[in-house]
Amino acid sequence: MRHLIDPMDLSVEDIDRLLDRADDISNYPQKYQEVCKYKKLATLFFEPSTRTRLSFEAAMLELGGSVLGFSSADSSSAAKGESIADTARTVACYADIIAMRHPKEGAPYVASQFVDIPIINAGDGGHNHPTQTLTDLLTIRREKGRLDNFTIGFCGDLKFGRTVHSLIKALSRYENINYVMISPEELQIPEYLKKDVFERKGISFREVERMEEVMPELDIIYMTRVQRERFFNEADYVRLKDSYILDLDKLKNAKEDLSILHPLPRVNEISVKVDSDPRACYFRQALNGKHVRMALIMDLLGVSADEY
Ligand code: NCD
């Protein structure tokens, strides 16, 4: 693995290695505090972000490295019309590894064609978000103790939500997972996922419109925000934005060991009253994102804790 662009760039062995490393990092952080000394991470964010960018930066700082970059397209030469290729080539002169978020699908892949340093896709349009997927996998493994044999419900904007697309692809390699897709008809998962992932691998899935009807079966519910910025018109967004709101009432019929995940940011799809329920995992999930990004940066830079 030289770059991480698509979740399928990660083999099951890669995932095991990264999640094991993330666990070791959270147990023995002092072992890792200098492993990336003198290395620089550039965060090139052409789209808003809180967790992804800051967890990447915190990850590199906790590994003893440094960070540079920009957090909006307006503050980079993209505003002057510079191409992705030229931006990537330039930044490769200043940094050892790049994390890039971009509203256009495929932009981090294009960048990876022009540079020798590792490129990490930190979210490309409605397409992929492989480091959120690693975060989600670590969270599922930490909460459930396994990555197979469970029923997972994906709820909300399954059409535009890149975190959902990436996680489904990654999970498709694990055994005996039941998938329940909970969304309004207009926000169902894209056809390419149905064909290229579920049909091709002979995996069955259900599509339902009401979360109440499936709640008792779920081991995990993956909530998502309706992705306003990817809608073509505001009226459709307004009509669909409050389709699903998870509150304490809806949780009454849920399993006692349900795990509630959300990549965040939340708008109002989870009532704040749910936050104090032990089944709410989303802030633990945000912390997991830092540990797994530390593991990923080490892997892509080819550094190990044993040398130090
Ligand atoms: C997600 C994203 O950017 O796709 N956020 C994140 O990275 N944690 C989800 C979202 O924006 O709704």
Side-chain angles (χ1 to χ4, degrees):
M1 198 183 25
R2 267 185 60 224
H3 306 286
L4 177 57
I5 305 297
D6 186 292
M8 298 309 262
D9 295 341
L10 297 162
S11 66
V12 169
E13 294 71 38
D14 290 331
I15 291 171
D16 287 343
R17 184 181 67 252
L18 291 168
L19 303 195
D20 289 346
R21 175 70 77 185
D23 282 340
D24 198 61
I25 288 170
S26 58
N27 291 332
Y28 309 102
Q30 66 288 356
K31 247 168 75 180
Y32 294 91
Q33 59 201 7
E34 295 205 335
V35 293
C36 286
K37 209 169 167 186
Y38 308 122
K39 301 279 187 197
K40 282 172 283 176
L41 164 75
T43 52
L44 312 187
F45 276 59
F46 297 86
E47 243 192 14
S49 169
T50 299
R51 271 148 297 274
T52 306
R53 186 171 61 84
L54 296 185
S55 69
F56 262 118
E57 296 188 359
M60 192 52 159
L61 295 173
E62 289 190 27
L63 293 170
S66 325
V67 295
L68 63 161
F70 52 82
S71 56
S72 81
D74 306 344
S75 60
S76 77
S77 281
K80 300 179 182 167
E82 187 173 53
S83 68
I84 292 289
D86 286 3
T87 303
R89 277 177 158 155
T90 306
V91 175
C93 303
Y94 312 140
D96 301 288
I97 182 167
I98 292 176
M100 177 187 286
R101 167 169 289 191
H102 203 284
K104 283 212 182 99
E105 285 81 4
Y109 172 75
V110 170
S112 73
Q113 302 300 295
F114 290 90
V115 297
D116 286 332
I117 66 171
I119 302 273
I120 303 171
N121 176 4
D124 62 329
H127 202 204
N128 283 312
H129 194 347
T131 62
Q132 182 63 45
T133 298
L134 285 169
T135 304
D136 301 337
L137 294 172
L138 180 61
T139 305
I140 295 172
R141 201 175 82 164
R142 285 185 172 173
E143 300 291 331
K144 293 277 174 257
R146 61 183 189 279
L147 289 173
D148 49 20
N149 292 293
F150 53 70
T151 298
I152 182 166
F154 287 92
C155 182
D157 186 346
L158 312 186
K159 181 176 181 184
F160 297 112
R162 56 192 172 198
T163 63
V164 170
H165 306 160
S166 281
L167 182 55
I168 288 175
K169 284 192 198 170
L171 285 177
S172 70
R173 274 96 47 94
Y174 296 88
E175 296 296 313
N176 199 21
I177 299 179
N178 296 313
Y179 297 86
V180 188
M181 304 297 163
I182 311 161
S183 75
E185 212 183 323
E186 295 94 319
L187 296 182
Q188 287 179 351
I189 54 166
E191 278 307 307
Y192 82 87
L193 275 179
K194 292 187 187 174
K195 285 215 173 69
D196 299 350
V197 181
F198 287 128
E199 271 172 39
R200 181 179 294 178
K201 299 198 167 184
I203 301 172
S204 60
F205 65 97
R206 266 186 298 156
E207 289 181 302
V208 300
E209 289 210 20
R210 281 169 43 82
M211 77 164 104
E212 290 87 333
E213 68 185 81
V214 293
M215 194 59 92
E217 304 168 38
L218 303 180
D219 299 300
I220 300 166
I221 186 160
Y222 192 94
M223 295 296 298
T224 61
R225 172 180 73 91
V226 176
Q227 307 276 304
R228 179 181 204 158
E229 65 277 30
R230 314 221 188 278
F231 274 76
F232 294 110
N233 75 70
E234 183 72 7
D236 283 349
Y237 166 72
V238 170
R239 187 165 52 79
L240 293 166
K241 75 180 172 47
D242 291 329
S243 296
Y244 300 101
I245 299 179
L246 182 63
D247 55 20
L248 291 176
D249 205 46
K250 294 207 183 76
L251 281 175
K252 275 195 187 128
N253 293 324
K255 288 189 179 174
E256 270 180 32
D257 65 346
L258 171 73
S259 300
I260 306 166
L261 273 65
H262 192 314
L264 304 176
R266 138 177 75 185
V267 183
N268 55 0
E269 56 281 352
I270 302 181
S271 154
V272 291
K273 294 207 175 110
V274 174
D275 296 358
S276 49
D277 189 299
R279 292 172 287 189
C281 304
Y282 28 94
F283 291 110
R284 296 196 285 278
Q285 193 178 353
L287 175 63
N288 295 340
K290 182 182 72 178
H291 296 146
V292 86
R293 288 183 175 99
M294 289 170 80
L296 178 68
I297 291 169
M298 286 181 63
D299 219 75
L300 290 173
L301 287 178
V303 298
S304 85
D306 311 329
E307 296 160 26
Y308 287 84

